[in-house]
Every structure is written in C-alpha cells, then in structure tokens.
C-alpha cells in the first residue's frame, strides 16, 4: 500500500513547481505559504522581474549586461525574490499569510528575512542554504521566535518530480 506524502513534502515540491515559472536565468526559486492549522496552501511565488517588466529570459540578465557581472547581493538584479513575490500575490488577492509557514527553495536573504519577521511567519523551511546571509538570518529568526529548518526531497516525491520535469530542470 502506497503511503500519502506529508504536508512538508507537498509544500516543498510546490516550491519546485513555482520555481519553474521563474524568469531568472540563474536561479529557479519558488516559495509557498502554508497554514498548518487548516492544512492549506495559501499562495506562492517565484523569483523574476516585476509584472509588466522585461524578463531576463527574453532579454538578458540585468546583472550581466554589457559584459559586466556583479554579485547576487549587489542590488543590481531586476528580479523580485520568490518570498516577496508570494507576499505580493497574497496582498493582491486579500489572503492573510501572517502566522503561516513559508517553504522556499533557498533560505532567505537578509532583506527578505526582515520582511518575513514583520509579516509574522512562524517557520521558514528551505531546501538549499543561501550562505551569504545564513548566520545573520538565523540569529534574527531565533530572536523573533521563528523556526528555520532545512528539508530534502526524497522517495516518491523526488522520483515523481524528476520523471515529470527531468528535461526542464536538473536536481
């Protein structure tokens, strides 16, 4: 008998699917807000250019124009992070995401972490670590009573995603 996947597995798999909507040439990041009391995915988002703007996939990476490559934390990226995109989607549609859990492809950058603290999330769950800000973000979350933890995709979830998307994304 096949067991059902857990809510953790469902939500972290959702980040992979949202990431496929990304318009960034370098990262495919997705975020999903989840209400654990209602067992309900509230909304999601992905990284990329703001609505109505040119997408890097259609032009070129803003950070690499004119042959000049700048670091991720430079502030030169034209994209919006997946967490902020998801918050905007919730606000646009009147969805309350305070006191929720956010699942994301990567641990948050410093700027996103501060917004998430102000939002009042209870937990941040991620697959990959964004090392640049991790210690500072972890300290902020600990001070704010927000749990932060990593999760991996295994078993049936990993196989299903891989089989469905192996041509589109490398795991």
């Amino acid at each position: 008998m096949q067991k059902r996947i857990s809510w953790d597995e469902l939500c972290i798999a959702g980040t992979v699917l949202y990431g496929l909507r990304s318009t960034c040439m370098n990262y495919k990041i997705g975020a999903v807000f989840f209400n654990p009391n209602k067992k309900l995915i509230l909304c999601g988002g992905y990284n990329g250019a703001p609505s109505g703007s040119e997408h890097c996939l259609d032009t070129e990476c803003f950070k690499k124009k004119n042959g000049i490559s700048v670091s991720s934390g430079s502030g030169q990226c034209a994209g919006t992070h997946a967490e902020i995109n998801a918050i905007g989607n919730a606000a646009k549609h009147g969805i309350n995401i305070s006191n929720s859990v956010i699942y994301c492809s990567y641990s948050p950058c410093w700027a996103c972490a501060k917004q998430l603290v102000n939002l009042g999330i209870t937990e941040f769950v991620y697959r990959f670590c964004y090392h640049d800000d991790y210690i500072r973000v972890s300290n902020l979350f600990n001070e704010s009573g927000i749990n932060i933890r990593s999760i991996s995709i295994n078993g049936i979830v990993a196989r299903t995603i891989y089989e469905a998307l192996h041509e589109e994304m490398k795991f």
Side-chain angles (χ1 to χ4, degrees):
M1 181 162 89
Q2 183 178 352
K3 73 174 190 100
R4 297 188 325 167
I5 63 172
S6 69
W7 289 106
D8 268 350
E9 291 170 317
L10 177 65
C11 291
I12 206 67
T15 68
V16 174
L17 296 174
Y18 269 99
L20 290 174
R21 293 270 313 145
S22 171
T23 60
C24 177
M25 298 171 73
N26 299 309
Y27 295 97
K28 302 296 182 191
I29 300 174
V32 171
F33 279 92
F34 177 71
N35 181 321
N37 296 324
K38 295 181 180 179
K39 306 285 189 244
L40 180 66
I41 293 175
L42 301 170
C43 67
Y46 51 87
N47 62 317
S51 297
S53 298
E54 287 187 331
H55 298 297
C56 293
L57 288 177
D58 298 330
T59 59
E60 65 178 315
C61 179
F62 187 78
K63 296 186 302 181
K64 295 180 182 175
K65 283 187 177 180
N66 302 320
I68 300 169
S69 184
V70 295
S71 68
S72 294
S74 68
Q76 298 299 311
C77 180
T80 302
H81 288 188
E83 303 97 319
I84 302 304
N85 187 328
I87 291 169
N89 287 337
K92 188 182 340 182
H93 299 289
I95 300 169
N96 181 0
I97 54 176
S98 62
N99 297 309
S100 63
V101 175
I102 181 171
Y103 290 79
C104 194
S105 307
Y106 278 82
S107 59
C109 72
W110 179 243
C112 287
K114 292 184 291 183
Q115 294 297 323
L116 293 164
V117 167
N118 287 339
L119 178 65
I121 65 164
T122 59
E123 184 173 34
F124 193 104
V125 183
Y126 64 93
R127 284 181 59 212
F128 304 109
C129 183
Y130 178 64
H131 295 286
D132 291 2
D133 291 335
Y134 189 77
I135 292 173
R136 192 162 56 152
V137 165
S138 293
N139 290 337
L140 176 64
F141 280 2
N142 287 333
E143 291 168 4
S144 304
I146 297 169
N147 186 43
I148 183 170
R149 65 185 169 96
S150 65
I151 188 173
S152 58
I153 296 180
N154 302 318
I156 187 73
V157 176
R159 284 192 309 276
T160 302
I161 291 172
Y162 178 78
E163 289 169 4
L165 307 173
H166 75 280
E167 293 297 322
E168 298 293 324
M169 179 179 267
K170 305 279 188 240
F171 288 93

